Amino acid sequence: MANHKSSLKRIRQTESRRLRNRYYAKTARNAVRSLRKLTDKAAAEAKLRTVAAMLDRLASKKAISKNKAANLKSKLAHHIAKLA
């Protein structure tokens, strides 16, 4: 167990950040899943904007890596392009 005041605070901060990052990453995964299920191209394109913004926000806050965000956005755009 930590003995210093600063390390106790660091443990508290880390735990709260971990939970926050987990929540936002899970929300983004659910959004990606729901976007992949869409079959209507217009609805999918509209939802892609919000999902892409969500992924960019997560990457800027380092909840996910920027390459993962870019890969997900690319795959989603490719998926939507194949919809007819």
Short mmCIF file of all heavy atoms in Angstrom, two decimals, residues 19-46:
data_model
loop_
_atom_site.label_atom_id
_atom_site.label_comp_id
_atom_site.label_asym_id
_atom_site.label_seq_id
_atom_site.Cartn_x
_atom_site.Cartn_y
_atom_site.Cartn_z
N LEU A 19 -12.05 4.23 -15.09
CA LEU A 19 -13.48 4.00 -15.21
C LEU A 19 -14.11 4.89 -16.28
O LEU A 19 -14.97 4.45 -17.04
CB LEU A 19 -14.17 4.22 -13.86
CG LEU A 19 -13.82 3.21 -12.79
CD1 LEU A 19 -14.44 3.62 -11.46
CD2 LEU A 19 -14.29 1.83 -13.18
N ARG A 20 -13.67 6.14 -16.35
CA ARG A 20 -14.20 7.06 -17.35
C ARG A 20 -13.83 6.59 -18.75
O ARG A 20 -14.67 6.54 -19.65
CB ARG A 20 -13.66 8.47 -17.10
CG ARG A 20 -14.33 9.53 -17.95
CD ARG A 20 -13.80 10.93 -17.68
NE ARG A 20 -13.67 11.23 -16.28
CZ ARG A 20 -12.53 11.59 -15.68
NH1 ARG A 20 -11.42 11.69 -16.38
NH2 ARG A 20 -12.49 11.86 -14.40
N ASN A 21 -12.57 6.21 -18.94
CA ASN A 21 -12.12 5.73 -20.25
C ASN A 21 -12.85 4.47 -20.66
O ASN A 21 -13.20 4.29 -21.82
CB ASN A 21 -10.61 5.47 -20.24
CG ASN A 21 -9.81 6.75 -20.23
OD1 ASN A 21 -10.31 7.81 -20.54
ND2 ASN A 21 -8.56 6.64 -19.84
N ARG A 22 -13.09 3.58 -19.69
CA ARG A 22 -13.80 2.35 -19.96
C ARG A 22 -15.22 2.63 -20.44
O ARG A 22 -15.69 2.02 -21.40
CB ARG A 22 -13.85 1.52 -18.68
CG ARG A 22 -13.41 0.10 -18.85
CD ARG A 22 -13.36 -0.59 -17.53
NE ARG A 22 -14.47 -1.52 -17.46
CZ ARG A 22 -14.87 -2.12 -16.37
NH1 ARG A 22 -14.28 -1.88 -15.23
NH2 ARG A 22 -15.86 -2.97 -16.39
N TYR A 23 -15.89 3.57 -19.77
CA TYR A 23 -17.25 3.92 -20.14
C TYR A 23 -17.31 4.48 -21.56
O TYR A 23 -18.12 4.05 -22.38
CB TYR A 23 -17.82 4.94 -19.14
CG TYR A 23 -19.12 5.54 -19.60
CD1 TYR A 23 -20.30 4.82 -19.53
CD2 TYR A 23 -19.16 6.82 -20.14
CE1 TYR A 23 -21.49 5.36 -19.97
CE2 TYR A 23 -20.34 7.37 -20.59
CZ TYR A 23 -21.50 6.64 -20.49
OH TYR A 23 -22.68 7.17 -20.94
N TYR A 24 -16.43 5.44 -21.87
CA TYR A 24 -16.47 6.07 -23.18
C TYR A 24 -16.05 5.09 -24.28
O TYR A 24 -16.62 5.11 -25.38
CB TYR A 24 -15.60 7.32 -23.23
CG TYR A 24 -16.21 8.47 -22.48
CD1 TYR A 24 -15.52 9.13 -21.48
CD2 TYR A 24 -17.51 8.89 -22.76
CE1 TYR A 24 -16.10 10.18 -20.79
CE2 TYR A 24 -18.09 9.93 -22.08
CZ TYR A 24 -17.37 10.58 -21.09
OH TYR A 24 -17.95 11.61 -20.41
N ALA A 25 -15.08 4.23 -24.01
CA ALA A 25 -14.65 3.25 -25.01
C ALA A 25 -15.76 2.25 -25.27
O ALA A 25 -16.00 1.86 -26.42
CB ALA A 25 -13.38 2.55 -24.55
N LYS A 26 -16.47 1.83 -24.23
CA LYS A 26 -17.58 0.89 -24.40
C LYS A 26 -18.71 1.54 -25.19
O LYS A 26 -19.31 0.92 -26.07
CB LYS A 26 -18.08 0.44 -23.03
CG LYS A 26 -19.20 -0.57 -23.06
CD LYS A 26 -18.74 -1.90 -23.60
CE LYS A 26 -19.83 -2.93 -23.49
NZ LYS A 26 -19.44 -4.20 -24.08
N THR A 27 -19.00 2.81 -24.91
CA THR A 27 -20.03 3.54 -25.63
C THR A 27 -19.67 3.63 -27.12
O THR A 27 -20.53 3.46 -27.99
CB THR A 27 -20.20 4.95 -25.04
OG1 THR A 27 -20.46 4.82 -23.65
CG2 THR A 27 -21.34 5.70 -25.69
N ALA A 28 -18.40 3.89 -27.40
CA ALA A 28 -17.95 3.97 -28.79
C ALA A 28 -18.07 2.62 -29.48
O ALA A 28 -18.48 2.54 -30.64
CB ALA A 28 -16.51 4.46 -28.85
N ARG A 29 -17.72 1.55 -28.79
CA ARG A 29 -17.83 0.20 -29.38
C ARG A 29 -19.29 -0.10 -29.71
O ARG A 29 -19.58 -0.66 -30.78
CB ARG A 29 -17.28 -0.86 -28.42
CG ARG A 29 -15.78 -1.02 -28.49
CD ARG A 29 -15.31 -2.32 -27.88
NE ARG A 29 -15.72 -2.51 -26.50
CZ ARG A 29 -15.06 -2.06 -25.44
NH1 ARG A 29 -13.95 -1.36 -25.61
NH2 ARG A 29 -15.49 -2.30 -24.23
N ASN A 30 -20.19 0.27 -28.82
CA ASN A 30 -21.61 0.04 -29.09
C ASN A 30 -22.08 0.86 -30.29
O ASN A 30 -22.89 0.39 -31.09
CB ASN A 30 -22.45 0.38 -27.86
CG ASN A 30 -22.28 -0.64 -26.76
OD1 ASN A 30 -21.90 -1.78 -27.02
ND2 ASN A 30 -22.55 -0.24 -25.53
N ALA A 31 -21.59 2.09 -30.41
CA ALA A 31 -21.97 2.94 -31.54
C ALA A 31 -21.46 2.35 -32.85
O ALA A 31 -22.17 2.35 -33.87
CB ALA A 31 -21.43 4.35 -31.34
N VAL A 32 -20.24 1.82 -32.83
CA VAL A 32 -19.67 1.19 -34.04
C VAL A 32 -20.49 -0.03 -34.41
O VAL A 32 -20.81 -0.25 -35.58
CB VAL A 32 -18.19 0.83 -33.80
CG1 VAL A 32 -17.66 -0.08 -34.90
CG2 VAL A 32 -17.34 2.09 -33.71
N ARG A 33 -20.87 -0.84 -33.41
CA ARG A 33 -21.68 -2.03 -33.66
C ARG A 33 -23.02 -1.66 -34.29
O ARG A 33 -23.47 -2.29 -35.25
CB ARG A 33 -21.92 -2.79 -32.36
CG ARG A 33 -20.96 -3.90 -32.17
CD ARG A 33 -21.35 -4.75 -30.97
NE ARG A 33 -20.14 -5.05 -30.25
CZ ARG A 33 -19.86 -4.68 -29.02
NH1 ARG A 33 -20.74 -4.00 -28.31
NH2 ARG A 33 -18.73 -4.98 -28.47
N SER A 34 -23.67 -0.64 -33.72
CA SER A 34 -24.99 -0.25 -34.25
C SER A 34 -24.86 0.31 -35.66
O SER A 34 -25.76 0.12 -36.49
CB SER A 34 -25.66 0.75 -33.32
OG SER A 34 -24.96 1.97 -33.31
N LEU A 35 -23.75 1.01 -35.96
CA LEU A 35 -23.53 1.53 -37.31
C LEU A 35 -23.33 0.40 -38.30
O LEU A 35 -23.84 0.45 -39.42
CB LEU A 35 -22.33 2.47 -37.32
CG LEU A 35 -21.92 3.07 -38.66
CD1 LEU A 35 -23.07 3.86 -39.26
CD2 LEU A 35 -20.72 3.96 -38.50
N ARG A 36 -22.62 -0.65 -37.90
CA ARG A 36 -22.38 -1.78 -38.80
C ARG A 36 -23.67 -2.54 -39.11
O ARG A 36 -23.79 -3.16 -40.16
CB ARG A 36 -21.37 -2.73 -38.18
CG ARG A 36 -19.95 -2.23 -38.30
CD ARG A 36 -18.95 -3.31 -37.97
NE ARG A 36 -17.59 -2.78 -38.09
CZ ARG A 36 -16.69 -2.84 -37.13
NH1 ARG A 36 -16.97 -3.43 -35.99
NH2 ARG A 36 -15.49 -2.33 -37.30
N LYS A 37 -24.63 -2.49 -38.19
CA LYS A 37 -25.90 -3.20 -38.41
C LYS A 37 -26.83 -2.48 -39.38
O LYS A 37 -27.74 -3.09 -39.93
CB LYS A 37 -26.63 -3.38 -37.08
CG LYS A 37 -26.04 -4.44 -36.20
CD LYS A 37 -26.83 -4.59 -34.93
CE LYS A 37 -26.18 -5.59 -34.00
NZ LYS A 37 -26.87 -5.65 -32.71
N LEU A 38 -26.61 -1.16 -39.58
CA LEU A 38 -27.50 -0.39 -40.45
C LEU A 38 -27.40 -0.87 -41.90
O LEU A 38 -26.32 -1.21 -42.38
CB LEU A 38 -27.16 1.09 -40.38
CG LEU A 38 -27.44 1.80 -39.06
CD1 LEU A 38 -26.99 3.25 -39.13
CD2 LEU A 38 -28.92 1.74 -38.72
N THR A 39 -28.53 -0.89 -42.57
CA THR A 39 -28.55 -1.30 -43.98
C THR A 39 -28.91 -0.13 -44.89
O THR A 39 -28.69 -0.21 -46.10
CB THR A 39 -29.55 -2.44 -44.19
OG1 THR A 39 -30.83 -2.04 -43.71
CG2 THR A 39 -29.10 -3.71 -43.47
N ASP A 40 -29.46 0.94 -44.34
CA ASP A 40 -29.83 2.12 -45.12
C ASP A 40 -28.61 3.03 -45.25
O ASP A 40 -28.03 3.45 -44.24
CB ASP A 40 -30.99 2.86 -44.44
CG ASP A 40 -31.40 4.09 -45.21
OD1 ASP A 40 -31.36 4.05 -46.46
OD2 ASP A 40 -31.76 5.10 -44.56
N LYS A 41 -28.22 3.33 -46.47
CA LYS A 41 -27.00 4.10 -46.71
C LYS A 41 -27.09 5.53 -46.16
O LYS A 41 -26.15 6.02 -45.55
CB LYS A 41 -26.67 4.13 -48.19
CG LYS A 41 -25.32 4.74 -48.49
CD LYS A 41 -24.90 4.51 -49.92
CE LYS A 41 -23.49 5.02 -50.12
NZ LYS A 41 -22.85 4.50 -51.30
N ALA A 42 -28.22 6.17 -46.35
CA ALA A 42 -28.37 7.56 -45.88
C ALA A 42 -28.28 7.64 -44.35
O ALA A 42 -27.61 8.52 -43.80
CB ALA A 42 -29.69 8.14 -46.37
N ALA A 43 -28.94 6.72 -43.69
CA ALA A 43 -28.90 6.70 -42.22
C ALA A 43 -27.49 6.38 -41.73
O ALA A 43 -27.01 6.96 -40.74
CB ALA A 43 -29.89 5.69 -41.68
N ALA A 44 -26.82 5.47 -42.43
CA ALA A 44 -25.47 5.09 -42.04
C ALA A 44 -24.49 6.25 -42.21
O ALA A 44 -23.62 6.47 -41.36
CB ALA A 44 -25.01 3.89 -42.84
N GLU A 45 -24.65 7.01 -43.30
CA GLU A 45 -23.77 8.16 -43.53
C GLU A 45 -23.97 9.23 -42.46
O GLU A 45 -23.02 9.86 -41.99
CB GLU A 45 -24.00 8.75 -44.92
CG GLU A 45 -23.40 7.91 -46.02
CD GLU A 45 -23.75 8.42 -47.41
OE1 GLU A 45 -24.71 9.21 -47.53
OE2 GLU A 45 -23.08 8.00 -48.36
N ALA A 46 -25.23 9.44 -42.06
CA ALA A 46 -25.51 10.42 -41.01
C ALA A 46 -24.91 9.98 -39.68
O ALA A 46 -24.34 10.78 -38.94
CB ALA A 46 -27.01 10.62 -40.88
#
